[in-house]
DNA sequence: GTCTCGTGTAGGAATCGCCCTACACGAAGC
DNA sequence: GCTTCGTGTAGGGCGATTCCTACACGAGAC
């Protein structure tokens, strides 16, 4: 029996996934979490083989959450579930310790297959996504510009898009605002943009982030 | 029997919702659509009482789609389903012809209740959302905040969103940058926002711009 | 007719953020 | 091994922006 923990903030989606998983005889949902803090509490108390993890949820989330989970003793296999099929995010997630990457575009049967695969210690990547990853990685500089951003730049990119000021980013990350500003300038150059407004528009057009988080 | 059509682009979410609805005896899913074009085709061929509509999907979507659907002969009741609980978007959706507004944070039973309510010709708004709407917008005023902007403020709003700096706006309009800044502060207050990034996000979420996806 | 209120307009002070410059450090190249 | 490059880190100077304040003017309100 594969024990699965579902981390997904939208109740409706979470319940829907539970319903879908209940169709499989070899999969059992042993817990769920609606935000990052609840998730870490659940992980401490509930043993499971697979964690179904949404990338965007309140509290600790995303790449950082994956790193923390992967570092836990008896860490479950992590199957990332996301709305967008961004190669960028996928490769970062896998690098951070995730075992698989599925999008919400997937067929339900594919999700079951993905869970079984990562539970067995193998990797799973959404086929369409894997295709694009291979293609884009092979193309070198034909990759979308945002994939050339460094970790730090990407982190600041996200914060800027979500409306946090340069000064406050500095405070949150405990670095000088000057440093944040430098990262901002560099990432703007990489993306060939000039203003913060451009940045937000870029993020929306590339559908990198979920609005309203 | 309430016949429901589901318009939602993410297969997994769509299937999950189908599973949830199948638990109710009085609700029947008669069709589904993964993008705007498929949706309009389905609406022509399939009669239904309630359309469960995701605001963000490929093809015709959002407020524009709601207007078009509401204008159809024998238009179904529209229950909007969204990830975010944005009051602005909700009021615009209702004004455009939607009968209800539920978020994906809702409990499954609330979704069933919402479907039954709109099927009966009544309105449904997510309780938490309704609360915020009343609080943020004042009783009865269902107008989106950006409609309360003055001509000048709206003009500067557009320029800011398209990436023009305060100084350059001043030059273009032949007024002081200080004046532009004043307008900016006032319009941000009206929209209950704080930064330029928020402004651009708002514009996208309220779909004042058509993202070229 | 006067009195608000919203709007368009700025100035001065303070702050923020950009730009240039710089340096340390690890990875990759030669 | 030495060099180059990308990255993360800042400081100083200065222009850009905000914040507070102010005033004129037209539209309604009373």
């Amino acid at each position: 029996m594969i024990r699965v923990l579902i981390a997904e903030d939208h109740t409706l989606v979470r319940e829907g996934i539970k319903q879908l998983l209940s169709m499989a005889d070899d999969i059992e949902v042993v817990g769920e979490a609606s935000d990052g803090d609840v998730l870490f509490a659940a992980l401490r108390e509930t043993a499971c083989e697979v964690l179904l993890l949404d990338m965007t949820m309140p509290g600790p989330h995303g790449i950082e959450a994956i790193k923390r989970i992967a570092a836990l003793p008896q860490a479950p296999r992590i199957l990332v579930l996301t709305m967008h099929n961004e190669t960028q995010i996928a490769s970062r997630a896998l690098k951070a310790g995730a075992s698989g990457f599925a999008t919400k575009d997937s067929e339900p049967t594919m999700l079951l297959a993905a869970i079984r695969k990562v539970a067995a210690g193998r990797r799973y990547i959404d086929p369409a996504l894997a295709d694009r990853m291979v293609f884009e990685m092979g193309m070198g500089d034909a990759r979308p510009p945002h994939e050339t951003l460094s970790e730090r730049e990407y982190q600041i990119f996200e914060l800027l898009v979500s409306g946090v000021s340069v000064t406050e980013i500095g405070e949150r990350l405990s670095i000088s605002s000057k440093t944040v500003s430098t990262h901002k300038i560099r990432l703007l150059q990489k993306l060939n943009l000039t203003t913060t407004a451009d940045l937000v528009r870029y993020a929306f057009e590339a559908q990198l982030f979920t609005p309203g988080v």
Side-chain angles (χ1 to χ4, degrees), chain A:
Chain A
M1 183 65 85
I2 305 171
R3 288 170 298 177
V4 176
L5 186 63
I6 303 178
E8 154 73 51
D9 56 332
H10 296 101
T11 308
L12 219 46
V13 178
R14 197 171 63 238
E15 292 296 327
I17 291 173
K18 273 169 68 178
Q19 287 291 322
L20 291 174
L21 298 189
S22 69
M23 296 188 301
D25 296 332
D26 57 337
I27 295 174
E28 179 190 15
V29 177
V30 293
E32 49 190 293
S34 57
D35 67 64
D37 294 314
V38 171
L39 169 60
F40 280 99
L43 282 173
R44 272 194 297 275
E45 293 171 15
T46 313
C48 62
E49 279 77 40
V50 176
L51 168 65
L52 210 53
L53 178 68
D54 185 35
M55 287 289 278
T56 56
M57 53 188 331
H61 68 282
I63 304 293
E64 280 311 308
I66 293 175
K67 284 183 184 165
R68 278 180 55 188
I69 296 164
L72 292 175
Q74 294 151 5
R77 312 280 182 184
I78 303 171
L79 178 58
V80 175
L81 198 56
T82 182
M83 291 301 252
H84 348 283
N85 52 351
E86 278 301 318
T87 53
Q88 164 76 350
I89 299 171
S91 64
R92 281 169 196 276
L94 295 174
K95 212 169 159 187
S99 294
F101 205 92
T103 74
K104 291 178 186 170
D105 286 326
S106 313
E107 290 296 323
T109 51
M110 293 303 283
L111 179 63
L112 299 179
I115 290 174
R116 293 189 184 108
K117 204 165 175 184
V118 299
R122 285 154 61 211
R123 294 200 147 189
Y124 174 86
I125 297 169
D126 185 277
L129 196 60
D131 214 55
R132 285 183 48 212
M133 281 176 74
V134 171
F135 182 71
E136 287 176 10
M137 299 303 172
M139 292 297 277
D141 18 16
R143 289 186 305 164
H146 60 266
E147 294 193 12
T148 65
L149 298 186
S150 69
E151 285 296 323
R152 202 55 149 175
E153 285 164 353
Y154 196 83
Q155 184 180 21
I156 286 166
F157 177 38
E158 284 184 301
L159 289 167
L160 286 171
V161 170
S162 63
V164 186
S165 73
V166 168
T167 307
E168 197 184 332
I169 292 174
E171 287 166 3
R172 285 201 201 174
L173 302 181
S174 301
I175 57 178
S176 164
S177 63
K178 305 298 185 74
T179 305
V180 178
S181 193
T182 303
H183 287 308
K184 180 178 179 183
I185 291 169
R186 284 183 188 160
L187 74 88
L188 281 174
Q189 284 174 343
K190 284 186 180 178
L191 301 180
N192 200 25
L193 303 172
T194 52
T195 69
T196 306
D198 293 335
L199 205 61
V200 180
R201 283 211 320 279
Y202 177 89
F204 267 82
E205 282 161 10
Q207 300 192 352
L208 291 180
F209 305 119
T210 317
V213 173

